Amino acid sequence: LLIDWINSTLKEEHIVVKSLEEDVYDGLVLHHLLENLGSLKLDVDKIALTEKKQRQKLSVILEAVAKCLQLEGSQLKWSVESILSKDLLSTLHLLVAIAKHFEPNLAMPSNVQVETITIENTTRGLKTTTAVEYITENKENSEAQSKDDAFDELFSRAPDKLDAVKKVFLQFVNQHVGKLGLSVKDIESQFSDGVILLLLIGQLEGYFLNLRDFFLTPASTAEMV
């Protein structure tokens, strides 16, 4: 997908990528991509033949990428040295980040992961550790995150609709606790001691809560807790 995307983006410049490891490391493709996608004019040579020139060129390019994507150093999953050494994992992370920023509608498959193996030379011999690393978005986590953030978005983006949402919740609560002869008029104050919440759960789940298990009229914070 990434190779096809790069080749279609740079078609008019007659650049053809066949291998991400072999064709991206020297900065030429990255340079043309950024100029084409982000209209960025970078003060670097078009072609860098020596390793020193390639390292300098990559340094300028990756600095521009971090600035465009508004990423701090600790958030970067690549470096000049890793790209220059043809590290595929770093190259994939870099290209996916560029694609997501400049081509958000690109049909990138989610949950693409690789198992990485790290071998460390210690005094006792070789130590091997394995880990799973996501190349593209972990959709299960992002979906869970989006569910957690639904009310945060309501507060920040549509505070004017908050009263309407509260009204719907009040109707829902009273529809169920009304069967117990109770009425809720204020969500904040009447839910703070936990009593209405317990009775509501009992009604929704269809069971009777033993009144000896909690304080029906709590008189202290400890009883509320």
Side-chain angles (χ1 to χ4, degrees), residues 81-146:
E81 294 305 321
S82 64
I83 300 298
L84 195 59
S85 64
K86 305 180 184 179
D87 182 87
L88 180 59
L89 193 59
S90 296
T91 304
L92 286 172
H93 276 308
L94 174 61
L95 291 173
V96 167
I98 292 172
K100 280 177 64 179
H101 180 77
F102 291 108
E103 298 276 0
N105 295 323
L106 189 66
M108 192 85 68
S110 59
N111 299 323
V112 177
Q113 61 188 48
V114 294
E115 185 178 274
T116 61
I117 302 171
T118 305
I119 301 173
E120 184 183 355
N121 195 1
T122 68
T123 53
R124 295 184 179 181
L126 295 178
K127 178 185 175 184
T128 304
T129 54
T130 60
V132 172
E133 190 162 343
Y134 279 88
I135 302 295
T136 61
E137 187 179 24
N138 182 351
K139 209 152 195 176
E140 291 175 5
N141 283 354
S142 65
E143 284 175 0
Q145 186 69 31
S146 65

Side-chain angles (χ1 to χ4, degrees), residues 1-223:
L1 175 74
L2 289 170
I3 288 174
D4 289 345
W5 167 65
I6 292 170
N7 288 337
S8 62
T9 303
L10 303 180
K11 185 177 180 180
E12 291 183 6
E13 298 183 48
H14 307 292
I15 291 177
V16 178
V17 170
K18 293 182 179 179
S19 165
L20 294 181
E21 298 100 308
E22 297 298 329
D23 297 337
V24 174
Y25 79 95
D26 62 359
L28 176 68
V29 170
L30 292 172
H31 186 185
H32 282 273
L33 260 183
L34 292 177
E35 283 195 338
N36 195 292
L37 294 169
S39 300
L40 297 176
K41 296 299 177 186
L42 303 175
D43 187 21
V44 290
D45 297 331
K46 283 287 183 184
I47 299 176
L49 297 176
T50 65
E51 186 177 319
K52 183 180 179 181
K53 288 282 186 181
Q54 289 167 356
R55 185 176 276 103
Q56 289 174 345
K57 182 171 183 173
L58 277 173
S59 180
V60 173
I61 289 171
L62 296 186
E63 191 176 323
V65 170
K67 192 174 181 180
C68 277
L69 276 55
Q70 297 182 328
L71 296 174
E72 300 292 333
S74 59
Q75 296 173 294
L76 302 178
K77 296 181 179 180
W78 57 83
S79 67
V80 171
E81 294 305 321
S82 64
I83 300 298
L84 195 59
S85 64
K86 305 180 184 179
D87 182 87
L88 180 59
L89 193 59
S90 296
T91 304
L92 286 172
H93 276 308
L94 174 61
L95 291 173
V96 167
I98 292 172
K100 280 177 64 179
H101 180 77
F102 291 108
E103 298 276 0
N105 295 323
L106 189 66
M108 192 85 68
S110 59
N111 299 323
V112 177
Q113 61 188 48
V114 294
E115 185 178 274
T116 61
I117 302 171
T118 305
I119 301 173
E120 184 183 355
N121 195 1
T122 68
T123 53
R124 295 184 179 181
L126 295 178
K127 178 185 175 184
T128 304
T129 54
T130 60
V132 172
E133 190 162 343
Y134 279 88
I135 302 295
T136 61
E137 187 179 24
N138 182 351
K139 209 152 195 176
E140 291 175 5
N141 283 354
S142 65
E143 284 175 0
Q145 186 69 31
S146 65
K147 288 176 186 175
D148 292 341
D149 292 344
F151 281 98
D152 288 336
E153 288 194 18
L154 178 65
F155 279 107
S156 62
R157 299 187 185 183
D160 53 311
K161 295 181 181 177
L162 193 58
D163 286 338
V165 174
K166 285 166 70 175
K167 188 176 179 181
V168 171
F169 277 133
L170 273 176
Q171 290 172 346
F172 166 74
V173 170
N174 284 319
Q175 178 186 346
H176 294 283
V177 298
K179 299 169 187 175
L180 301 173
L182 299 170
S183 175
V184 175
K185 294 180 180 178
D186 184 78
I187 285 179
E188 288 95 329
S189 62
Q190 287 182 266
F191 268 83
S192 63
D193 62 8
V195 176
I196 295 292
L197 183 59
L198 279 173
L199 297 174
L200 174 64
I201 291 170
Q203 286 295 300
L204 292 173
E205 292 292 333
Y207 58 78
F208 176 75
L209 283 162
N210 194 322
L211 298 180
R212 287 177 299 179
D213 291 342
F214 68 101
F215 296 91
L216 191 59
T217 54
S220 67
T221 302
E223 291 180 358

